[in-house]
Amino acid sequence: MEEASLAVRRARRANATTLDLNGRGLTEIPSAVFDLEKLQHLDLSNNSISFISPQIRNLKHLEVLKLDNNLITSIPDEVMGLPNLKELSTEGNPFLKATSALSQSRLRGPSTSHADSGDASGLGLGPSLRPSTAQPDGGVAFGRRGGPSFSAGGGGGAAGMGVGAAPAGVGGPSWLAAGGPGGEVSRLKDESSGDKSSSSSSRGGEAKVPSFSFKDIQLGKIIAQGGFSVVHEGTYRGCRVAVKSIFDPKVTQDLIDEMTREIVALQKVRHPFVVQIYAACRTPPKLAILLEFLPRGTLFDLLHGGPKQRVDLSREVTMRIALQVACALEHIHSVGLVHRDVKSHNVLFGSDMTAKLADFGLSHPIEGPVPSMEFAGTASYMAPELLFRRPPIKEKTDTFAFGVLLWELVTGEIPHDGLDVEAIRGKADSGAPLPLSGVLSGDLKRLISKCWSVDPGSRPSMSEVVETLERLA
């Protein structure tokens, strides 16, 4: 299969009216596509695209646009405004309820819209709400007189993923400049079987994670490092990736289990607000996974980094980040998993500043035996039942950690900064581990306090947290 970039170049040279990029492992629409102003038929189906750039308005002659089986959560006005568009297919995408309705004379049925927040902080993070309810036949039909026929599947595949976001353009400081990595192509293919990358849609089961060989990787700089693993920026078959590998010379069974847990969890969790896995190397001593490259750093950096990293977040942006992380956790729990390491270091940002939850090395099923590393984690975010090794209600440990993360987002402070584990343990078991004086909203105070309940059964589910945040956003 030819590279998508090559297909685009050929189309440009030939002034083509048709371009087929079906199943190319794309995570975004290559920017060069928007220069093909004579295009009439564009097929982008079966990729992992989550964002449609407003530049699509350049394709004024486009008549057919196929977006089936991607991660798209909202159709921007620029698509619906294309003057010659007659057919728009979007089956198998996790659509959201509208946040700004399109004109009912132009689009009948539940509207979906892409809105630029235009907030003062310069972070244009798209709205993050619940998906529209599918009709009994598994789809939602839309249409407009003289315009495109529009079908959104509500059945299997990506449509069942839950919630997603439509990130808007990013303004503000130069490091938050709008746009992604310049139309890169992520065509990650299984060397042995020729399967599409694991980020592609998988009907009727979990996506298969292909294998890769280190001879195909060009490692760049280190972008993160933990106790037993290191993450490099890298290039794999022409696309940017993050390469997470075990660097401990003694590969223990615990390390193998941790890597396996992350692979299993990420192939099960396919969601716009969760980092995507592309491939894995499972042959000791070279244990590694290829992950989606997220160039904008961590939430910890955004809140607590140096002058070039730290940004003062508006309330609107703060709530959107909180809602995106909450939606990710809601979905993770819905597929029967607990994350178990929710913290600002593990919330990463893509080029469009969409928040994505990462690091599933401590994740485990809600049902089943307690894994050997159950009590590992970061003390500042750990629920009292973990700190005191009491029987947990597993998914409610994530709720507690999210409450700490929400406090951190709202106050801009580092939780339990400078305290040792013993001091944190005593605060966590008090029901009020951190001061709420810096939280100005009474509704947010009540939500955070509920998340911090000493009794796990009294904490809200992440679905209830999402509902509350949607109401407050």
Side-chain angles (χ1 to χ4, degrees), residues 43-308:
D43 189 351
L44 295 164
S45 303
N46 300 305
N47 287 290
S48 294
I49 297 167
S50 61
F51 169 55
I52 303 175
S53 169
Q55 287 182 284
I56 201 166
R57 67 169 71 93
N58 297 342
L59 305 181
K60 299 184 185 302
H61 297 286
L62 198 64
E63 296 180 1
V64 177
L65 177 58
K66 295 185 177 182
L67 299 168
D68 303 306
N69 301 322
N70 278 282
L71 297 175
I72 298 166
T73 55
S74 186
I75 298 297
D77 289 349
E78 287 82 4
V79 170
M80 301 313 298
L82 290 170
N84 292 297
L85 192 63
K86 297 176 181 177
E87 180 182 340
L88 173 63
S89 58
T90 58
E91 181 180 355
N93 284 279
F95 281 99
L96 304 180
K97 294 185 297 187
T99 56
S100 61
L102 293 176
S103 168
Q104 292 304 303
S105 64
R106 296 181 58 197
L107 183 64
R108 297 196 303 272
S111 63
T112 54
S113 161
H114 168 80
D116 188 338
S117 67
D119 56 87
S121 73
L123 296 178
L125 296 174
S128 163
L129 300 176
R130 290 186 174 285
S132 299
T133 302
Q135 294 186 8
D137 62 357
V140 185
F142 304 92
R144 58 171 177 161
R145 186 163 42 192
S149 61
F150 177 66
S151 63
M161 293 190 330
V163 192
V170 181
S174 60
W175 70 276
L176 292 176
E184 285 180 347
V185 177
S186 298
R187 185 176 67 87
L188 303 172
K189 187 177 179 183
D190 190 336
E191 297 142 309
S192 59
S193 67
D195 289 342
K196 293 175 188 174
S197 77
S198 62
S199 59
S200 298
S201 177
S202 176
R203 300 284 183 180
E206 296 167 9
K208 178 183 177 182
V209 178
S211 299
F212 76 91
S213 171
F214 268 90
K215 65 181 176 61
D216 295 325
I217 301 289
Q218 291 81 49
L219 289 180
K221 64 181 180 181
I222 294 176
I223 53 179
Q225 189 164 335
F228 303 101
S229 63
V230 61
V231 182
H232 286 83
E233 182 179 343
T235 304
Y236 177 62
R237 297 186 176 182
C239 69
R240 279 172 103 187
V241 293
V243 186
K244 181 176 181 179
S245 55
I246 301 295
F247 66 78
D248 194 306
K250 183 180 180 182
V251 179
T252 66
Q253 188 59 47
D254 278 346
L255 292 178
I256 293 173
D257 290 346
E258 180 173 346
M259 182 70 75
T260 300
R261 276 197 298 272
E262 184 152 23
I263 293 169
V264 170
L266 286 172
Q267 74 181 49
K268 190 173 185 179
V269 178
R270 176 178 159 87
H271 192 274
F273 301 152
V274 174
V275 66
Q276 296 295 305
I277 185 171
Y278 295 143
C281 179
R282 305 174 179 86
T283 307
K286 292 186 176 180
L287 298 178
I289 51 179
L290 299 188
L291 299 165
E292 176 183 8
F293 179 69
L294 299 170
R296 298 302 188 190
T298 71
L299 178 57
F300 185 90
D301 294 332
L302 201 68
L303 294 173
H304 316 298
K308 292 184 179 180

Side-chain angles (χ1 to χ4, degrees), residues 161-448:
M161 293 190 330
V163 192
V170 181
S174 60
W175 70 276
L176 292 176
E184 285 180 347
V185 177
S186 298
R187 185 176 67 87
L188 303 172
K189 187 177 179 183
D190 190 336
E191 297 142 309
S192 59
S193 67
D195 289 342
K196 293 175 188 174
S197 77
S198 62
S199 59
S200 298
S201 177
S202 176
R203 300 284 183 180
E206 296 167 9
K208 178 183 177 182
V209 178
S211 299
F212 76 91
S213 171
F214 268 90
K215 65 181 176 61
D216 295 325
I217 301 289
Q218 291 81 49
L219 289 180
K221 64 181 180 181
I222 294 176
I223 53 179
Q225 189 164 335
F228 303 101
S229 63
V230 61
V231 182
H232 286 83
E233 182 179 343
T235 304
Y236 177 62
R237 297 186 176 182
C239 69
R240 279 172 103 187
V241 293
V243 186
K244 181 176 181 179
S245 55
I246 301 295
F247 66 78
D248 194 306
K250 183 180 180 182
V251 179
T252 66
Q253 188 59 47
D254 278 346
L255 292 178
I256 293 173
D257 290 346
E258 180 173 346
M259 182 70 75
T260 300
R261 276 197 298 272
E262 184 152 23
I263 293 169
V264 170
L266 286 172
Q267 74 181 49
K268 190 173 185 179
V269 178
R270 176 178 159 87
H271 192 274
F273 301 152
V274 174
V275 66
Q276 296 295 305
I277 185 171
Y278 295 143
C281 179
R282 305 174 179 86
T283 307
K286 292 186 176 180
L287 298 178
I289 51 179
L290 299 188
L291 299 165
E292 176 183 8
F293 179 69
L294 299 170
R296 298 302 188 190
T298 71
L299 178 57
F300 185 90
D301 294 332
L302 201 68
L303 294 173
H304 316 298
K308 292 184 179 180
Q309 296 175 302
R310 190 169 60 249
V311 174
D312 291 328
L313 303 180
S314 69
R315 183 186 185 280
E316 182 180 5
V317 171
T318 295
M319 294 301 291
R320 285 178 181 170
I321 294 172
L323 190 49
Q324 288 174 348
V325 177
C327 288
L329 286 171
E330 179 189 34
H331 178 68
I332 291 165
H333 294 174
S334 77
V335 298
L337 292 175
V338 183
H339 184 276
R340 270 289 287 112
D341 201 14
V342 177
K343 58 183 179 181
S344 58
H345 300 77
N346 289 338
V347 177
L348 308 180
F349 292 97
S351 58
D352 54 23
M353 290 307 296
T354 297
K356 300 200 177 194
L357 194 57
D359 199 341
F360 282 71
L362 297 182
S363 66
H364 58 80
I366 292 174
E367 303 297 333
V370 176
S372 61
M373 297 180 74
E374 171 72 15
F375 299 105
T378 304
S380 296
Y381 299 83
M382 289 176 73
E385 62 270 23
L386 296 179
L387 290 168
F388 287 93
R389 303 201 175 196
R390 299 193 288 254
I393 299 177
K394 295 178 183 177
E395 68 274 22
K396 296 299 182 74
T397 62
D398 282 347
T399 303
F400 185 96
F402 178 81
V404 177
L405 182 71
L406 182 56
W407 177 91
E408 185 177 3
L409 257 172
V410 173
T411 65
E413 301 294 330
I414 298 175
H416 303 301
D417 192 21
L419 297 184
D420 60 20
V421 176
E422 287 302 318
I424 294 171
R425 183 182 284 126
K427 288 179 174 291
D429 211 31
S430 70
L434 293 160
L436 288 171
S437 56
V439 182
L440 300 181
S441 165
D443 289 324
L444 278 179
K445 282 183 180 179
R446 283 186 286 274
L447 175 60
I448 293 171

